[in-house]
Amino acid sequence: AEGTEMTEETVVTLAALKERVEAIFRKAGLNDTQATAISRVIIAGERDGCKSHGIYRIEGALRTVKAGKVKPDATPELFIEEGSAIVKVNAGGGFANAAFELGIAELAGRAVKLGLAAMVINDCTHFSALWPEVKALTERGLAGIVMCPSYATVAPTGGNKPLLGTNPFAFGWPRQGGSPYVFDFATSVAARGEIELHRRAGKQLPEGWAIDADGNPTTDPEAALAGAMLPFGGHKGSAIATMVELLAGIMIGDLTSPEVLDYLGTTTLAPFHGELILAFSPEAFAKGRPGDPFARAEVLFEAIVGQGARLPSQRRFAARRTSESEGVTLSAAEIQQLERLLDKGLDAVS
Ligand code: NDP
Ligand code: PYC
């Protein structure tokens, strides 16, 4: 690390941060597969300016280990059938990240061969952003959709109690010689992590994010956490979140968000459920039709940017360039927390 003295802010290189985060997870009992995979997504979040799924998530992951709700030494298992478009990975009760890394090559190979393929991850603890997984597909020339439930924290539109999860939904399209087109968002107005970050910073929420336990609109993060979050786009987000429960919960034989909350009994631990990853070969779908799909996509992207709009993930890519050249800036509280977690391991969390 550069400049580790306790000033207001400290700049840390990505390599130093990775070393520290991996050491924290190893001390907490994670095996090599789990510790390296989980650290990769957390560092990617911090590097790309996605604070809601960066280092702040370490504590929740450790709490989940301590509560015995995730297996720190799990080894994921791959199940494949000859000729099938469905690749299954059982995370064995470990984190989703190691399971994804085990299945990605098989998924991509099948999508290239068959035109489309899916990876189902079952029995995983999942707390991370989805864009690193979408990116793994675009890097292989594939388009992809990734989704998973969470736990019941979002009221369906017209309802007033937590039922749906914040159910993230991500999409990616590969671009030759450039950064891919990627979006990745919660199907609630904001990720729950954002509410927690507002609470920690003592800030009010924007209007329209949440209702309190009595179903009244609130901008108080504490009241929002005790009440329910709202879907984005009213009935449209509510329906998309429901689709995620159906496809990435019920269809893959795994838990829905209300079932996850019943199982965990709390939202202070990372949720345990499944995940669905869909991969498409644009060449295979466009075969025999006029035009190259990648060239046609560029026309569309240029038209969007040509109006002065920005493409999703552009902010993230800019943050990444800065982090890669200058490192990431952490607050004194963040540095202190990393030191505490490294020093005390699971004793640092309740
Ligand atoms: P945001 O609202 O921060 O961003 C959503 C997406 O929209 C990003 O791709 C972002 O790109 C893009 N975007 C934002 N503003 C614009 C704009 N003006 N023009 C074009 N694109 C824009 O996401 P959320 O808070 O909803 O979610 C944050 C993260 O939380 C996600 O990574 C998600 O996977 C994760 N999450 C994970 C859950 C889980 O259970 N594992 C549950 C819920 C969320 P950019 O980043 O460049 O700004
Ligand atoms: O930010 O909503 C969220 C979230 C839930 C589980 C992981 N992230």
Side-chain angles (χ1 to χ4, degrees):
E2 290 163 8
T4 43
E5 75 276 11
M6 293 299 293
T7 52
E8 271 304 293
E9 288 186 330
T10 303
V11 176
V12 181
T13 63
L14 291 174
L17 188 60
K18 178 169 175 285
E19 200 177 300
R20 216 177 288 189
V21 171
E22 273 191 24
I24 291 171
F25 282 120
R26 286 182 210 282
K27 175 146 187 173
L30 271 70
N31 63 17
D32 194 57
T33 316
Q34 298 289 331
T36 51
I38 200 173
S39 300
R40 262 192 280 280
V41 296
I42 285 181
I43 299 301
E46 206 61 39
R47 179 199 64 197
D48 284 17
C50 301
K51 293 295 282 187
S52 72
H53 289 78
I55 56 169
Y56 130 75
R57 290 280 168 181
I58 299 173
E59 190 182 336
L62 297 197
R63 263 201 309 268
T64 313
V65 172
K66 189 166 182 175
K69 295 290 188 185
V70 63
K71 287 207 184 88
D73 56 351
T75 302
E77 265 189 282
L78 181 65
F79 297 93
I80 46 178
E81 272 176 40
E82 204 39 55
S84 172
I86 305 173
V87 172
K88 295 191 177 182
V89 185
N90 192 294
F95 290 100
N97 318 93
F100 178 84
E101 291 189 3
L102 179 66
I104 177 64
E106 197 64 47
L107 170 69
R110 281 167 197 243
V112 169
K113 193 166 164 197
L114 302 171
L116 80 167
M119 168 154 49
V120 169
I121 300 179
N122 288 117
D123 300 340
C124 65
T125 287
H126 196 298
F127 68 86
S128 42
L130 301 183
W131 55 260
E133 300 179 354
V134 167
K135 175 177 149 276
L137 292 170
T138 59
E139 277 171 359
R140 291 165 168 84
L142 298 164
I145 294 178
V146 184
M147 63 185 99
C148 68
S150 176
Y151 29 44
T153 50
V154 178
T157 294
N160 55 14
K161 289 192 182 52
L163 178 71
L164 304 166
T166 48
N167 300 3
F169 187 80
F171 169 79
W173 179 274
R175 300 182 69 188
Q176 281 150 358
S179 303
Y181 176 92
V182 172
F183 70 72
D184 174 20
F185 46 66
T187 48
S188 44
V189 178
R192 194 166 176 84
E194 284 293 336
I195 312 254
E196 176 58 20
L197 291 177
H198 275 75
R199 188 189 68 78
R200 290 182 183 198
K203 286 197 209 151
Q204 290 291 294
L205 304 174
E207 282 181 21
W209 280 25
I211 51 179
D212 65 19
D214 299 321
N216 300 313
T218 185
T219 56
D220 173 12
E222 295 274 7
L225 290 170
M229 298 165 66
L230 294 172
F232 84 99
H235 62 283
K236 301 179 187 182
S238 196
I240 293 174
T242 307
M243 177 194 76
V244 174
E245 302 286 348
L246 293 170
L247 292 180
I250 291 167
M251 186 178 84
I252 65 167
D254 223 305
L255 299 184
T256 60
S257 295
E259 291 167 342
V260 175
L261 190 55
D262 279 351
Y263 165 74
L264 282 181
T266 173
T267 57
T268 60
L269 304 177
F272 178 76
H273 47 70
E275 182 178 1
L276 180 64
I277 299 114
L278 304 172
F280 309 89
S281 159
E283 288 110 323
F285 276 85
K287 196 171 169 193
R289 300 293 304 167
D292 168 58
F294 299 111
R296 294 185 64 209
E298 290 309 311
V299 174
L300 182 63
F301 297 142
E302 275 163 31
I304 293 171
V305 174
Q307 289 193 13
R310 80 159 164 97
L311 297 179
S313 292
Q314 294 304 304
R315 177 206 60 82
R316 204 160 58 68
F317 295 139
R320 179 182 307 179
R321 284 191 290 276
T322 307
S323 303
E324 282 176 343
S325 61
E326 295 168 20
V328 290
T329 304
L330 301 182
S331 68
E334 287 174 319
I335 291 286
Q336 210 165 31
Q337 171 73 331
L338 290 176
E339 280 169 4
R340 204 171 68 87
L341 294 174
L342 187 54
D343 181 37
K344 297 198 181 324
L346 292 180
D347 290 340
V349 296
S350 51

